[in-house]
Amino acid sequence: MATDRDITATIDALPGLDASAPPLEVNDLQVEFRTRSGIARAVNGVSFSLQAGETLAILGESGCGKSVTAQAIMGIIDSPPGFVTGGEIKYRGVDLLKLPESQRRKIRANRIAMIFQDALSALNPVFTVGFQLSELFRKHRGMSRADGKARAVELLDLVKIPAAKQRVGDFPHQFSGGMRQRVMIAMALALDPEVLIADEPTTALDVTVQAQVMALLAELQRERNMGLVLITHDMGVVADVADRISVMYAGRVVEEAPVRDIYASPAHPYTKALLESIPRIDLKGQELNVIKGLPPALTNIPAGCSFNPRCRYAQDVCRADPEPPRFALTPSRTSACHFWKEVKGDE
Ligand code: SF4
């Protein structure tokens, strides 16, 4: 059975692996679903890179392609109907899409982990959390059941589950929503990943518990110098934890920037509308700002700029020209809008 050292040696021996390259880099990723109603282009040219210790938030409404991007990275898209049709997903310079499935699985299991939105359905209801955690160590690290259980207790401690020694024998349904999400975090961290992808990790939780879970995630990320990809539809959640934000709409990244720039002066109408729709205590009693209309069906994306039917800045060029490219505003900032200067307030 493989030990930590064996796994590290196997992964480090991969041809092309470059320890100085980012732990995760996605270039021009394309994912489509071939459905009865047509081809849904769920991810259309998404690119980003993530450094160790950095948090990138991927933001957008449901159906914008955020979760499909994460599933493509983890290799868990149901195929058919889903297909990765182009692009690269690189771990330290090695394109996972070009590796044999067995090697790909090794990297995904040991170096890139994911936390799912719904902990109750992600955990197996018929096994105790201790058993599920210790199985990870048995399977991937060749540990004995007793050693695996001891590590499980350490991990439950790490994610601040009170009385971890006693709770290790409990089943998932015996934990509250917030505690279950902590168990999910423990499972994701079990094999010491370099990259953690958290897909709406706090959506099902109330606001106070949400803040506690986010604080825990941020703390563990700092301690372990992990790269964190945080997928969310909630701009309020990312302000305190993210370094950069990628905003997705209709399968594309429409704006990417350091978090402070986005909050200070968004440069895409969609980002601006998302910011305006955050409820504000000083506007109590006033009608909430909402983005009118819905994101398009991915089988029927509007011609021109995909946001044009909902955009208050739209002009003829937005409907006539192809989808705008990502304009580089600064070396660390892009916007896919013809009128980014007006939106940002530069003109
Ligand atoms: Fe709006 Fe036009 Fe910019 Fe698209 S390109 S976001 S429609 S202003």
Side-chain angles (χ1 to χ4, degrees), residues 62-248:
S62 297
C64 286
K66 314 176 300 282
S67 295
V68 177
T69 301
Q71 288 160 10
I73 295 168
M74 296 307 294
I76 52 171
I77 288 183
D78 278 339
S79 187
F83 297 89
V84 176
T85 54
E88 297 175 324
I89 299 170
K90 288 183 170 177
Y91 164 74
R92 300 242 177 244
V94 175
D95 186 359
L96 301 185
L97 297 176
K98 294 205 176 107
L99 287 180
E101 185 50 35
S102 59
Q103 289 186 339
R104 219 187 285 180
R105 218 176 303 129
K106 218 166 257 165
I107 291 183
R108 284 175 182 139
N110 292 282
R111 300 292 165 90
I112 306 175
M114 183 160 170
I115 302 172
F116 297 88
Q117 193 176 127
D118 180 3
L120 196 53
S121 47
L123 292 165
N124 192 326
V126 300
F127 295 113
T128 65
V129 300
F131 179 83
Q132 295 183 57
L133 277 164
S134 63
E135 273 301 284
L136 277 175
F137 296 114
R138 270 185 5 99
K139 237 179 162 167
H140 294 279
R141 296 291 185 265
M143 281 187 190
S144 68
R145 188 151 282 161
D147 288 348
K149 194 172 166 195
R151 282 289 289 132
V153 174
E154 281 170 28
L155 275 168
L156 293 184
D157 244 345
L158 179 79
V159 296
K160 303 187 169 65
I161 290 189
K165 229 179 193 160
Q166 286 78 50
R167 307 263 7 222
V168 77
D170 285 351
F171 291 88
H173 73 269
Q174 293 175 288
F175 289 83
S176 66
M179 288 295 152
R180 259 196 312 265
Q181 204 50 286
R182 286 170 192 260
V183 173
M184 280 297 297
I185 295 173
M187 292 199 75
L189 297 185
L191 302 179
D192 270 330
E194 289 176 61
V195 174
L196 182 61
I197 300 175
D199 186 3
E200 305 269 11
T202 58
T203 301
L205 308 175
D206 70 45
V207 182
T208 321
V209 182
Q210 225 175 54
Q212 291 164 356
V213 171
M214 283 313 303
L216 173 70
L217 258 182
E219 182 186 324
L220 293 169
Q221 181 213 13
R222 264 195 314 275
E223 279 172 18
R224 294 168 168 242
N225 200 32
M226 275 184 314
L228 176 64
V229 178
L230 177 63
I231 293 174
T232 179
H233 64 275
D234 185 349
M235 280 206 104
V237 164
V238 298
D240 297 330
V241 289
D243 299 300
R244 281 186 302 128
I245 297 184
S246 268
V247 181
M248 282 189 73

Side-chain angles (χ1 to χ4, degrees), residues 3-20:
T3 63
D4 274 4
R5 204 180 298 161
D6 298 335
I7 302 272
T8 304
T10 318
I11 293 177
D12 289 350
L14 281 173
L17 192 115
D18 174 3
S20 64

Side-chain angles (χ1 to χ4, degrees), residues 268-269 305 307-308 311 313-314 318 324 337-339:
H268 192 282
C305 171
F307 190 55
N308 86 71
C311 181
Y313 292 86
C318 306
C337 174
H338 296 301
F339 301 106

Side-chain angles (χ1 to χ4, degrees), residues 290-312:
V290 289
I291 311 176
K292 294 204 169 59
L294 292 170
L298 296 171
T299 46
N300 190 20
I301 295 176
C305 171
S306 52
F307 190 55
N308 86 71
R310 306 172 77 189
C311 181
R312 63 177 189 259

